[in-house]
Amino acid sequence: MLAVLTLLVASVTLLTGATPSPAPVPAVAVAAAADSAVPGNVAADARGERHVTSVVAARRGLSELQYADALEGFRDNRLQAIGRVAVARSVLASAQLALDSSAGHVLTEASRQALAAGIRLQALRLTLAAGQIDESYVRAAASRSGGPFRLEPPSLTAATSTLDGMRFGWASSLDAVRGELAGLVQAVHADVAAWQAEQARLAAMEAARVAEAARVAARAAAAAPVAAPRASGARPVATAPRPAAGVSPGAAASVAVPALFNKLVWTSGFQSEIDACRGAVDVTGNYGVATIAEHWSCGGSRFPGTGRQITFSGVRAGTYLVGGVVAVLNANTQGTASIPRGYDLLYQTCINGSNATMSFTALTRIG
């Protein structure tokens, strides 16, 4: 349209030789010319840019909210896993204590072996759970490199997926530790109780044997003649009874005078010397009471009974008359204050090798 008007004006000028006044250009034409002269639509572009920006911001805000939720859930799950690990460690420690304290106090080792195997299995599960928690720290830190909420939406989405995907399966499995170990621990406790009952039975038998020996000795002493008075401070001396009619003096002496038993008290000391198993050990320095001791397996089981005479050589040289067992103590619950006093010497050994049945036999010096 503008081109046609321009051509018309040019034709008039050529024909008349005059320059006509320019005709007014319609507003529509001006607007059309302006539209053709400026590329694109600036207003439209501005609106589109604002729209895109708002969409990006909305997506970013949604990603940040999703990431924040995932992070909070991860922290809660991690704290629960840490709590499960702490509880499992306490259960394992209790089971280990039951295993350790039962050593040497069961009739058979089957229950202790089963408990030891169970503890090893649960300890492995505990190690895996703790490792999973440690790994989660590293993965969580790597998922939000640059700091939380400073990632672009795609990175936030990836970080959210990482946090959502982290589970503490091994820690959850620790909830079963207590139940799986309870039966094994109870079996060990039952075996310990059976062992204690057996020790009590053996101690009762030993006490009955000692009591019977004491009664025999008392009857023998009542049948023997009364010894002549002795000077103050002198030790009692065993005397043989008069032979009965028709009994030779030698035969009567063999009946009335107990056979002698010899034992070496090779040194003074305590546990390491007793463990050397070279003879009895003077442990007076540790007990605060005149006492010699040796292991049941190193001579204690063969120590003579009530009424017998025993001669010691070495540190405690002399001849003694064996009395009864005056105390049976439990080293786990009783101390040296429970050791009886008032005897010339005590002989201590652990019945059947158990420190829960430490017997003390009274000895009276006669030579």
Side-chain angles (χ1 to χ4, degrees), residues 68 90 175 363:
S90 176
D175 292 342
L363 301 171

Side-chain angles (χ1 to χ4, degrees), residues 87-351:
V87 171
R89 282 182 175 148
S90 176
V91 172
L92 275 179
S94 178
Q96 187 66 49
L97 178 61
L99 179 65
D100 294 342
S101 62
S102 65
H105 294 78
V106 291
L107 299 177
T108 66
E109 287 291 317
S111 61
R112 296 187 72 252
Q113 291 171 354
L115 177 57
I119 289 175
R120 288 194 298 270
L121 175 62
Q122 301 306 333
L124 176 59
R125 178 184 287 178
L126 182 63
T127 299
L128 292 173
Q132 199 172 49
I133 293 173
D134 292 341
E135 180 188 5
S136 72
Y137 292 131
V138 178
R139 293 182 60 191
S143 73
R144 59 178 190 268
S145 58
F149 309 140
R150 295 181 182 176
L151 307 176
E152 294 302 319
S155 298
L156 277 172
T157 302
T160 300
S161 299
T162 298
L163 294 176
D164 284 339
M166 280 192 282
R167 295 292 183 267
F168 299 93
W170 283 112
S172 298
S173 72
L174 295 179
D175 292 342
V177 170
R178 187 185 299 276
E180 292 178 9
L181 288 179
L184 300 176
V185 171
Q186 185 59 39
V188 169
H189 288 329
D191 278 0
V192 169
W195 177 86
Q196 291 174 338
E198 178 64 11
Q199 298 309 305
R201 185 185 71 81
L202 293 174
M205 290 178 59
E206 177 64 13
R209 183 190 70 78
V210 169
E212 179 61 23
R215 285 192 293 270
V216 171
R219 287 195 298 268
V226 178
R230 55 191 177 90
S232 176
R235 296 289 181 176
V237 179
T239 59
R242 294 178 181 178
V247 179
S248 65
S254 65
V255 172
V257 180
L260 294 179
F261 188 93
N262 298 310
K263 180 173 286 294
L264 171 66
V265 183
W266 73 283
T267 188
S268 298
F270 198 53
Q271 197 61 54
S272 59
E273 288 76 17
I274 296 174
D275 292 342
C277 203
R278 294 172 56 184
V281 177
D282 187 347
V283 295
T284 303
N286 287 82
Y287 285 172
V289 181
T291 308
I292 59 174
E294 62 183 338
H295 286 308
W296 182 260
S297 59
C298 297
S301 62
R302 301 183 298 276
F303 195 77
T306 303
R308 300 283 298 276
Q309 289 185 20
I310 184 168
T311 297
F312 296 121
S313 58
V315 177
R316 287 280 178 177
T319 301
Y320 292 79
L321 183 65
V322 179
V325 173
V326 293
V328 177
L329 305 181
N330 186 338
N332 299 316
T333 58
Q334 296 171 288
T336 57
S338 300
I339 299 175
R341 267 73 173 168
Y343 300 96
D344 291 342
L345 185 64
L346 294 173
Y347 176 80
Q348 183 260 308
T349 188
C350 294
I351 299 173

Side-chain angles (χ1 to χ4, degrees), residues 30-40:
V30 174
D35 289 342
S36 63
V38 181

Side-chain angles (χ1 to χ4, degrees), residues 1-2 5 23-33:
M1 181 65 177
L2 182 59
L5 291 174
V25 179
V28 175
V30 174

